[in-house]
């Protein structure tokens, strides 16, 4: 997944789920890690990081 796609997906996920999107992305990444799929896990970690940036530094 390209950076623009990651940013777009992160934005849509955040718009749909708010701050819960961070946990959702982290859970998907962990699931792929457990399944031995590091590329998919890396993509979800990037999505998680992008959501955190969208959320901003002052949100908890």
């Amino acid at each position: 997944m390209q950076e623009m796609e990651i940013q777009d997906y992160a934005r849509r996920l955040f718009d749909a789920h708010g701050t819960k999107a961070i946990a959702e992305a982290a859970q998907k990444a962990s699931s792929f890690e457990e399944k031995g799929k590091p590329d998919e896990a890396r993509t979800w970690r990037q999505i998680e990081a992008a959501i955190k940036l969208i959320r901003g530094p002052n949100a908890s």
Side-chain angles (χ1 to χ4, degrees):
M1 197 179 268
Q2 299 294 323
E3 184 63 31
M4 291 297 294
E5 292 173 306
I6 288 170
Q7 294 295 325
D8 182 55
Y9 195 84
R11 170 57 65 191
R12 287 187 280 132
L13 197 59
F14 183 77
D15 288 346
H17 299 282
T19 57
K20 292 180 182 179
I22 296 168
E24 185 176 333
Q27 183 179 8
K28 287 186 181 282
S30 293
S31 176
F32 281 118
E33 289 166 350
E34 290 173 7
K35 293 176 184 176
K37 297 182 176 186
D39 292 337
E40 290 89 343
R42 187 177 321 105
T43 297
W44 280 100
R45 292 291 178 203
Q46 290 172 325
I47 292 169
E48 179 186 5
I51 294 168
K52 288 178 181 178
L53 287 174
I54 291 166
R55 176 196 67 184
N58 295 327
S60 57

